[in-house]
Amino acid sequence: MILYGYWRSSAAYRVRIALNLKGVSAEQLSVHLVRDGGEQHKADYIALNPQELVPTLVVDDEQDGDALTQSLAIIEYLDELYPKTPLLPASALERAHVRAMALTIACEIHPLNNLRVLQYLTQKLTVNEEAKSAWYHHWVATGFTALETQLVRHSGRYCFGDKVTIADLCLVPQVYNAQRFNVDLTPYPNIMRVWAECNQLPAFADAAPERQADAV
């Protein structure tokens, strides 16, 4: 497997955690999202990922490499391929709850605060840094307020009970990003408790952005 990612990409961060938890190795190639206007916009990478996003996981289908995109789709692929350490609960109802928490982050918070959105705000709409920061903080607060309530209902040691799930794989990178942008996280004690528990696990700690080969 080859994982195309970027050290600060929270979506790639999720996949790195999943690979670590599964004990699966992948060659990691950096796609610098800022240098030279963003390497994700180069023709050779667009051929792999038409969305011009990271991560992309190239897998060997015994013929030609098949490129998988979208972090949650990649994670569920890995979960089905390597079921020994499941990242989703056994029952349909519990899986729905876990997916809802993961999607609260991956669909409701992250896309609004992704690099290309922030660049559009400043470069195309000429939004100043103060307004951009307010935008970022607003959508984190909106999503985290909902997630905090979900954790009150469902969390144990981790987001859902006492086993790591895809919800935890989404939560940890999002907290990392929120800290980067100086979001006040004191209103979210359960989020921060789960974040701390996860980061005690080597699979999470080793996937941290600063530990990646392309970290600056």
Side-chain angles (χ1 to χ4, degrees), residues 6-8 30 32-35 176 180 208-216:
Y6 180 63
W7 68 289
R8 269 186 170 166
S30 178
H32 201 293
L33 300 184
V34 180
R35 185 171 56 217
Y176 172 86
R180 274 187 63 210
E210 287 76 13
R211 294 195 179 186
Q212 305 315 302
D214 60 335
V216 177

PDB file of all heavy atoms in Angstrom, residues 6-8 30 32-35 176 180 208-216:
ATOM      1  N   TYR A   6      -0.273  14.291   3.975  1.00  0.00           N
ATOM      2  CA  TYR A   6       0.459  15.492   4.370  1.00  0.00           C
ATOM      3  C   TYR A   6       0.428  15.530   5.884  1.00  0.00           C
ATOM      4  O   TYR A   6      -0.596  15.203   6.496  1.00  0.00           O
ATOM      5  CB  TYR A   6      -0.202  16.736   3.772  1.00  0.00           C
ATOM      6  CG  TYR A   6       0.464  18.050   4.113  1.00  0.00           C
ATOM      7  CD1 TYR A   6       1.767  18.312   3.711  1.00  0.00           C
ATOM      8  CD2 TYR A   6      -0.213  19.029   4.828  1.00  0.00           C
ATOM      9  CE1 TYR A   6       2.380  19.517   4.003  1.00  0.00           C
ATOM     10  CE2 TYR A   6       0.387  20.246   5.127  1.00  0.00           C
ATOM     11  CZ  TYR A   6       1.681  20.486   4.712  1.00  0.00           C
ATOM     12  OH  TYR A   6       2.295  21.681   5.010  1.00  0.00           O
ATOM     13  N   TRP A   7       1.530  15.909   6.488  1.00  0.00           N
ATOM     14  CA  TRP A   7       1.655  15.759   7.938  1.00  0.00           C
ATOM     15  C   TRP A   7       0.561  16.474   8.710  1.00  0.00           C
ATOM     16  O   TRP A   7       0.097  15.988   9.732  1.00  0.00           O
ATOM     17  CB  TRP A   7       3.034  16.209   8.396  1.00  0.00           C
ATOM     18  CG  TRP A   7       3.344  17.682   8.273  1.00  0.00           C
ATOM     19  CD1 TRP A   7       3.557  18.383   7.131  1.00  0.00           C
ATOM     20  CD2 TRP A   7       3.506  18.616   9.346  1.00  0.00           C
ATOM     21  NE1 TRP A   7       3.840  19.702   7.406  1.00  0.00           N
ATOM     22  CE2 TRP A   7       3.819  19.870   8.760  1.00  0.00           C
ATOM     23  CE3 TRP A   7       3.426  18.511  10.737  1.00  0.00           C
ATOM     24  CZ2 TRP A   7       4.038  21.011   9.523  1.00  0.00           C
ATOM     25  CZ3 TRP A   7       3.651  19.662  11.504  1.00  0.00           C
ATOM     26  CH2 TRP A   7       3.945  20.885  10.885  1.00  0.00           C
ATOM     27  N   ARG A   8       0.105  17.630   8.225  1.00  0.00           N
ATOM     28  CA  ARG A   8      -0.907  18.380   8.956  1.00  0.00           C
ATOM     29  C   ARG A   8      -2.335  18.100   8.498  1.00  0.00           C
ATOM     30  O   ARG A   8      -3.272  18.675   9.044  1.00  0.00           O
ATOM     31  CB  ARG A   8      -0.623  19.879   8.866  1.00  0.00           C
ATOM     32  CG  ARG A   8       0.251  20.389   9.989  1.00  0.00           C
ATOM     33  CD  ARG A   8       0.381  21.888   9.923  1.00  0.00           C
ATOM     34  NE  ARG A   8       1.021  22.407  11.127  1.00  0.00           N
ATOM     35  CZ  ARG A   8       1.497  23.638  11.241  1.00  0.00           C
ATOM     36  NH1 ARG A   8       1.410  24.473  10.215  1.00  0.00           N
ATOM     37  NH2 ARG A   8       2.052  24.045  12.364  1.00  0.00           N
ATOM     38  N   SER A  30       4.582  12.162   0.657  1.00  0.00           N
ATOM     39  CA  SER A  30       4.055  13.471   1.035  1.00  0.00           C
ATOM     40  C   SER A  30       3.534  14.226  -0.177  1.00  0.00           C
ATOM     41  O   SER A  30       4.185  14.280  -1.226  1.00  0.00           O
ATOM     42  CB  SER A  30       5.145  14.293   1.730  1.00  0.00           C
ATOM     43  OG  SER A  30       4.653  15.579   2.055  1.00  0.00           O
ATOM     44  N   HIS A  32       2.607  17.964  -0.545  1.00  0.00           N
ATOM     45  CA  HIS A  32       2.656  19.236   0.183  1.00  0.00           C
ATOM     46  C   HIS A  32       1.485  20.111  -0.263  1.00  0.00           C
ATOM     47  O   HIS A  32       1.369  20.461  -1.444  1.00  0.00           O
ATOM     48  CB  HIS A  32       3.985  19.943  -0.064  1.00  0.00           C
ATOM     49  CG  HIS A  32       4.332  20.945   0.984  1.00  0.00           C
ATOM     50  ND1 HIS A  32       3.594  22.109   1.162  1.00  0.00           N
ATOM     51  CD2 HIS A  32       5.309  20.963   1.927  1.00  0.00           C
ATOM     52  CE1 HIS A  32       4.127  22.801   2.150  1.00  0.00           C
ATOM     53  NE2 HIS A  32       5.161  22.127   2.635  1.00  0.00           N
ATOM     54  N   LEU A  33       0.634  20.460   0.664  1.00  0.00           N
ATOM     55  CA  LEU A  33      -0.605  21.154   0.317  1.00  0.00           C
ATOM     56  C   LEU A  33      -0.434  22.653   0.095  1.00  0.00           C
ATOM     57  O   LEU A  33      -1.385  23.317  -0.338  1.00  0.00           O
ATOM     58  CB  LEU A  33      -1.653  20.920   1.417  1.00  0.00           C
ATOM     59  CG  LEU A  33      -2.046  19.467   1.675  1.00  0.00           C
ATOM     60  CD1 LEU A  33      -3.159  19.396   2.709  1.00  0.00           C
ATOM     61  CD2 LEU A  33      -2.472  18.767   0.385  1.00  0.00           C
ATOM     62  N   VAL A  34       0.763  23.183   0.356  1.00  0.00           N
ATOM     63  CA  VAL A  34       0.973  24.626   0.237  1.00  0.00           C
ATOM     64  C   VAL A  34       2.080  24.962  -0.761  1.00  0.00           C
ATOM     65  O   VAL A  34       1.959  25.918  -1.534  1.00  0.00           O
ATOM     66  CB  VAL A  34       1.293  25.240   1.619  1.00  0.00           C
ATOM     67  CG1 VAL A  34       1.509  26.743   1.491  1.00  0.00           C
ATOM     68  CG2 VAL A  34       0.176  24.951   2.615  1.00  0.00           C
ATOM     69  N   ARG A  35       3.149  24.200  -0.766  1.00  0.00           N
ATOM     70  CA  ARG A  35       4.312  24.507  -1.598  1.00  0.00           C
ATOM     71  C   ARG A  35       3.941  24.552  -3.081  1.00  0.00           C
ATOM     72  O   ARG A  35       3.189  23.710  -3.575  1.00  0.00           O
ATOM     73  CB  ARG A  35       5.401  23.463  -1.360  1.00  0.00           C
ATOM     74  CG  ARG A  35       6.718  23.749  -2.077  1.00  0.00           C
ATOM     75  CD  ARG A  35       7.807  22.802  -1.617  1.00  0.00           C
ATOM     76  NE  ARG A  35       7.440  21.413  -1.797  1.00  0.00           N
ATOM     77  CZ  ARG A  35       7.764  20.443  -0.936  1.00  0.00           C
ATOM     78  NH1 ARG A  35       8.441  20.720   0.171  1.00  0.00           N
ATOM     79  NH2 ARG A  35       7.413  19.198  -1.185  1.00  0.00           N
ATOM     80  N   TYR A 176      -6.561  18.357  17.506  1.00  0.00           N
ATOM     81  CA  TYR A 176      -5.241  18.887  17.125  1.00  0.00           C
ATOM     82  C   TYR A 176      -5.394  20.178  16.323  1.00  0.00           C
ATOM     83  O   TYR A 176      -4.719  21.181  16.585  1.00  0.00           O
ATOM     84  CB  TYR A 176      -4.481  17.842  16.321  1.00  0.00           C
ATOM     85  CG  TYR A 176      -3.189  18.347  15.720  1.00  0.00           C
ATOM     86  CD1 TYR A 176      -2.007  18.342  16.452  1.00  0.00           C
ATOM     87  CD2 TYR A 176      -3.154  18.846  14.416  1.00  0.00           C
ATOM     88  CE1 TYR A 176      -0.823  18.825  15.902  1.00  0.00           C
ATOM     89  CE2 TYR A 176      -1.974  19.323  13.865  1.00  0.00           C
ATOM     90  CZ  TYR A 176      -0.814  19.313  14.611  1.00  0.00           C
ATOM     91  OH  TYR A 176       0.351  19.794  14.061  1.00  0.00           O
ATOM     92  N   ARG A 180      -4.381  24.150  17.207  1.00  0.00           N
ATOM     93  CA  ARG A 180      -3.551  24.962  16.313  1.00  0.00           C
ATOM     94  C   ARG A 180      -4.144  26.353  16.118  1.00  0.00           C
ATOM     95  O   ARG A 180      -3.431  27.344  16.028  1.00  0.00           O
ATOM     96  CB  ARG A 180      -3.445  24.300  14.931  1.00  0.00           C
ATOM     97  CG  ARG A 180      -2.369  23.280  14.749  1.00  0.00           C
ATOM     98  CD  ARG A 180      -2.316  22.859  13.288  1.00  0.00           C
ATOM     99  NE  ARG A 180      -1.957  23.963  12.419  1.00  0.00           N
ATOM    100  CZ  ARG A 180      -2.364  24.092  11.156  1.00  0.00           C
ATOM    101  NH1 ARG A 180      -3.163  23.188  10.615  1.00  0.00           N
ATOM    102  NH2 ARG A 180      -1.956  25.117  10.438  1.00  0.00           N
ATOM    103  N   ALA A 208       0.817  11.135  15.109  1.00  0.00           N
ATOM    104  CA  ALA A 208       0.758  12.584  15.326  1.00  0.00           C
ATOM    105  C   ALA A 208       1.520  13.336  14.237  1.00  0.00           C
ATOM    106  O   ALA A 208       2.560  12.863  13.750  1.00  0.00           O
ATOM    107  CB  ALA A 208       1.320  12.935  16.696  1.00  0.00           C
ATOM    108  N   PRO A 209       1.035  14.489  13.838  1.00  0.00           N
ATOM    109  CA  PRO A 209       1.670  15.238  12.743  1.00  0.00           C
ATOM    110  C   PRO A 209       3.156  15.480  12.928  1.00  0.00           C
ATOM    111  O   PRO A 209       3.943  15.290  11.986  1.00  0.00           O
ATOM    112  CB  PRO A 209       0.874  16.552  12.729  1.00  0.00           C
ATOM    113  CG  PRO A 209      -0.484  16.149  13.201  1.00  0.00           C
ATOM    114  CD  PRO A 209      -0.239  15.109  14.257  1.00  0.00           C
ATOM    115  N   GLU A 210       3.574  15.875  14.116  1.00  0.00           N
ATOM    116  CA  GLU A 210       4.984  16.213  14.338  1.00  0.00           C
ATOM    117  C   GLU A 210       5.918  15.011  14.227  1.00  0.00           C
ATOM    118  O   GLU A 210       7.131  15.179  14.102  1.00  0.00           O
ATOM    119  CB  GLU A 210       5.155  16.879  15.700  1.00  0.00           C
ATOM    120  CG  GLU A 210       4.637  18.302  15.780  1.00  0.00           C
ATOM    121  CD  GLU A 210       3.115  18.388  15.878  1.00  0.00           C
ATOM    122  OE1 GLU A 210       2.464  17.353  16.133  1.00  0.00           O
ATOM    123  OE2 GLU A 210       2.577  19.499  15.699  1.00  0.00           O
ATOM    124  N   ARG A 211       5.365  13.819  14.246  1.00  0.00           N
ATOM    125  CA  ARG A 211       6.184  12.610  14.140  1.00  0.00           C
ATOM    126  C   ARG A 211       6.319  12.111  12.709  1.00  0.00           C
ATOM    127  O   ARG A 211       6.939  11.064  12.483  1.00  0.00           O
ATOM    128  CB  ARG A 211       5.604  11.503  15.030  1.00  0.00           C
ATOM    129  CG  ARG A 211       5.671  11.823  16.515  1.00  0.00           C
ATOM    130  CD  ARG A 211       5.446  10.587  17.357  1.00  0.00           C
ATOM    131  NE  ARG A 211       5.542  10.877  18.783  1.00  0.00           N
ATOM    132  CZ  ARG A 211       5.496   9.967  19.746  1.00  0.00           C
ATOM    133  NH1 ARG A 211       5.358   8.685  19.418  1.00  0.00           N
ATOM    134  NH2 ARG A 211       5.576  10.297  21.017  1.00  0.00           N
ATOM    135  N   GLN A 212       5.758  12.848  11.756  1.00  0.00           N
ATOM    136  CA  GLN A 212       5.809  12.393  10.365  1.00  0.00           C
ATOM    137  C   GLN A 212       7.076  12.903   9.682  1.00  0.00           C
ATOM    138  O   GLN A 212       7.613  13.950  10.024  1.00  0.00           O
ATOM    139  CB  GLN A 212       4.560  12.863   9.620  1.00  0.00           C
ATOM    140  CG  GLN A 212       3.256  12.446  10.296  1.00  0.00           C
ATOM    141  CD  GLN A 212       3.256  10.995  10.747  1.00  0.00           C
ATOM    142  OE1 GLN A 212       3.451  10.077   9.946  1.00  0.00           O
ATOM    143  NE2 GLN A 212       3.035  10.762  12.045  1.00  0.00           N
ATOM    144  N   ALA A 213       7.513  12.139   8.696  1.00  0.00           N
ATOM    145  CA  ALA A 213       8.778  12.448   8.024  1.00  0.00           C
ATOM    146  C   ALA A 213       8.767  13.801   7.331  1.00  0.00           C
ATOM    147  O   ALA A 213       9.803  14.440   7.191  1.00  0.00           O
ATOM    148  CB  ALA A 213       9.098  11.344   7.014  1.00  0.00           C
ATOM    149  N   ASP A 214       7.573  14.254   6.876  1.00  0.00           N
ATOM    150  CA  ASP A 214       7.506  15.531   6.157  1.00  0.00           C
ATOM    151  C   ASP A 214       7.135  16.700   7.059  1.00  0.00           C
ATOM    152  O   ASP A 214       6.874  17.804   6.580  1.00  0.00           O
ATOM    153  CB  ASP A 214       6.508  15.431   4.997  1.00  0.00           C
ATOM    154  CG  ASP A 214       5.083  15.089   5.420  1.00  0.00           C
ATOM    155  OD1 ASP A 214       4.938  14.474   6.515  1.00  0.00           O
ATOM    156  OD2 ASP A 214       4.144  15.388   4.689  1.00  0.00           O
ATOM    157  N   ALA A 215       7.128  16.459   8.377  1.00  0.00           N
ATOM    158  CA  ALA A 215       6.774  17.541   9.306  1.00  0.00           C
ATOM    159  C   ALA A 215       7.810  18.667   9.241  1.00  0.00           C
ATOM    160  O   ALA A 215       9.001  18.416   9.127  1.00  0.00           O
ATOM    161  CB  ALA A 215       6.682  17.005  10.730  1.00  0.00           C
ATOM    162  N   VAL A 216       7.307  19.880   9.325  1.00  0.00           N
ATOM    163  CA  VAL A 216       8.161  21.072   9.299  1.00  0.00           C
ATOM    164  C   VAL A 216       8.075  21.738  10.661  1.00  0.00           C
ATOM    165  O   VAL A 216       6.993  22.081  11.110  1.00  0.00           O
ATOM    166  CB  VAL A 216       7.701  22.052   8.202  1.00  0.00           C
ATOM    167  CG1 VAL A 216       8.556  23.310   8.245  1.00  0.00           C
ATOM    168  CG2 VAL A 216       7.768  21.385   6.838  1.00  0.00           C
TER     169      VAL A 216
END
